[in-house]
Amino acid sequence: MVGEYTPVIEAQLATMQAEYAALVRSRQGWSLRELFGTPDCDIVDFCAGFAPNPFGEQACAEVEQFCRRYGIWLDAGGAHYNSMTPYLHPHAVTAERMTVIGIYNAILFWLNDTVGREKFAHLTEAEKHQARATVEHLCRLLDTRCAATNPTPVEVATAEFVERVGAWADPDWLNRFLDSTIDHLRPAIQDQNARARGELLTVADYIDLRAQVSGMYPAIALCEFGRDEYLPWDRIRAVGLDADLRQLRRSTVEIGALMNDMFSFEKECIHDRADFNLIPVCLLNTPGATLADAVHDAARLVRDRLTEFRRIRARIDRQCGEITDRSVAEPVSAHIEDLLGCVQATWVWQKTTLRYKGTSIFGENRLW
């Protein structure tokens, strides 16, 4: 935390809105490709050859049927967010596993788009109370594997998901995955804006919290479920790969979260007036900064993590080539491939989906 929420922050956010409107009127802005690129790595080249999961179309259709059965399909956005799963999990080995992952993602997107952090401030007090109760019921369900009495439709849907994933997953992995989901849900379904928090987060504290809110930790855990190949962490530690692999996972999470902040800036900060986003956090933490300054600061943070990802990935690849125990090297190499897919999907899907398209200061988001 860098300080209490004050009217000065509100004034800075109002100025940001005015600067944004002026950029739109003048049709000025930036290319995210250029913002994320470095002299030795163009984001488009880095993602060349990426393809979504071949079971994607079948899985997306089954996920939609599942969500409609429980009344948690959002006609306005469902097709857009449902399409993410085949991109984020290109290596899932069967349509059935792809569908289970898609159901999980659809439940989280439904929560995000109805009672999530940027929507929470606009709810009535009764709706906020219900949202908090739903989150607690879901967390209890994930912890105990037992649904509450008189469950809501999203709770029933989640109970079915837990049953499905539990039937096929490694038990130890499942416990870690469900705990990770709880860690995501509690901060994700509440108002995280500076006004509600009563404080302004530092950029570093924001990134730590955003990593949890993003849902990227359980997302990359689902890569193991999708392949039906689980990381042997005890043997990974024994060969000295655990620190680098955990950092690579952290880089993947932060790239997913922070790159999404830039793609979703208008959806969250202009339309929903939220400030829990990397761009306004950079702005508010830098006295005298303009929106343009904040955009460039945010892009630098994404670039730094892309560079770190490439460096650590190369180091682990070399180490895997030297490990004689293939029961360690092969699952680690597969997981690195999955993490690379997650990073590539972060760019490719967000550039492809209509979820963030419209009037924009970013060329990749523009429809005009």
Side-chain angles (χ1 to χ4, degrees):
M1 186 183 82
V2 297
E4 294 183 2
Y5 178 84
T6 68
V8 173
I9 292 176
E10 196 71 30
Q12 289 173 297
L13 293 172
T15 299
M16 181 189 78
Q17 294 278 347
E19 290 174 345
Y20 172 83
L23 287 169
V24 169
R25 284 195 302 271
S26 63
R27 296 197 169 218
Q28 294 180 347
W30 299 270
S31 159
L32 289 170
R33 177 182 183 177
E34 293 178 3
L35 288 172
F36 296 150
T38 61
D40 60 343
C41 184
D42 176 85
I43 187 71
V44 173
D45 292 341
F46 181 72
C47 297
F50 175 87
N53 192 287
F55 302 116
E57 185 175 348
Q58 176 184 345
C60 286
E62 292 179 6
V63 169
E64 180 176 347
Q65 291 176 3
F66 175 94
C67 291
R68 289 190 182 279
R69 176 152 49 94
Y70 287 113
I72 57 168
W73 180 260
L74 297 175
D75 287 318
H80 303 319
Y81 61 66
N82 193 25
S83 71
M84 182 196 73
T85 300
Y87 285 83
L88 197 58
H89 296 280
H91 305 298
V93 294
T94 66
E96 291 78 11
R97 286 179 182 269
M98 183 92 277
T99 299
V100 171
I101 295 171
I103 287 170
Y104 176 82
N105 289 336
I107 290 170
L108 293 189
F109 267 116
W110 183 86
L111 288 166
N112 178 78
D113 284 9
T114 56
V115 297
R117 56 192 166 82
E118 69 265 26
K119 302 295 184 182
F120 204 92
H122 305 291
L123 302 178
T124 65
E125 288 305 314
E127 289 169 336
K128 290 177 182 177
H129 176 78
Q130 180 59 52
R132 294 187 188 102
T134 296
V135 168
E136 287 309 308
H137 291 163
L138 289 174
C139 290
R140 194 173 306 119
L141 163 63
L142 295 169
D143 184 40
T144 65
R145 321 285 169 87
C146 297
T149 306
N150 300 319
T152 61
V154 71
E155 292 168 36
V156 179
T158 304
E160 182 172 335
F161 162 77
V162 170
E163 182 179 358
R164 287 198 191 190
V165 73
W168 292 345
D170 173 82
D172 290 338
W173 172 90
L174 182 62
N175 289 334
R176 293 193 300 270
F177 166 72
L178 295 179
D179 286 346
S180 179
T181 302
I182 293 170
D183 290 341
H184 158 69
L185 281 175
R186 288 209 163 105
I189 312 303
Q190 60 178 286
D191 188 349
Q192 294 287 6
N193 291 313
R195 182 189 296 115
R197 296 178 61 85
E199 63 184 22
L200 174 62
L201 295 171
T202 66
V203 173
D205 286 343
Y206 168 78
I207 292 172
D208 286 343
L209 180 56
R210 181 71 178 92
Q212 290 298 129
V213 169
S214 71
M216 282 296 295
Y217 280 116
I220 63 174
L222 280 166
C223 293
E224 297 174 68
F225 172 80
R227 280 192 188 261
D228 195 21
E229 186 172 16
Y230 303 94
L231 290 168
W233 282 106
D234 55 341
R235 280 173 280 154
I236 291 170
R237 281 191 293 272
V239 298
L241 278 179
D242 57 313
D244 272 349
L245 187 56
R246 291 185 190 281
Q247 186 54 49
L248 192 69
R249 285 159 65 98
R250 173 75 184 190
S251 297
T252 303
V253 167
E254 292 185 356
I255 290 167
L258 303 183
M259 192 182 290
N260 173 256
D261 274 3
M262 299 196 70
F263 271 99
S264 63
F265 168 70
E266 280 121 345
K267 178 179 177 293
E268 297 175 0
C269 304
I270 303 303
H271 301 138
D272 285 331
R273 301 278 168 164
D275 59 61
F276 189 76
N277 177 287
L278 184 62
I279 293 175
V281 168
C282 286
L283 178 94
L284 296 173
N285 273 273
T286 309
T290 64
L291 174 57
D293 295 329
V295 166
H296 284 285
D297 284 347
R300 175 183 52 78
L301 291 166
V302 175
R303 286 197 307 274
D304 288 348
R305 281 151 180 81
L306 286 166
T307 299
E308 178 184 61
F309 178 92
R310 291 165 50 231
R311 184 179 65 250
I312 298 174
R313 176 194 168 207
R315 187 163 64 230
I316 298 177
D317 277 339
R318 288 194 300 271
Q319 291 170 305
C320 280
E322 298 168 358
I323 293 173
T324 57
D325 187 349
R326 304 318 295 168
S327 69
V328 175
E330 289 176 6
V332 168
S333 293
H335 194 61
I336 292 171
E337 185 180 22
D338 286 335
L339 296 179
L340 173 62
C342 287
V343 171
Q344 292 173 324
T346 298
W347 168 260
V348 177
W349 176 72
Q350 291 184 134
K351 186 172 172 294
T352 303
T353 181
L354 295 177
R355 181 172 173 83
Y356 309 114
K357 297 292 189 292
T359 300
S360 180
I361 57 175
F362 300 122
E364 289 79 359
N365 277 358
R366 287 178 186 151
L367 287 179
W368 45 267

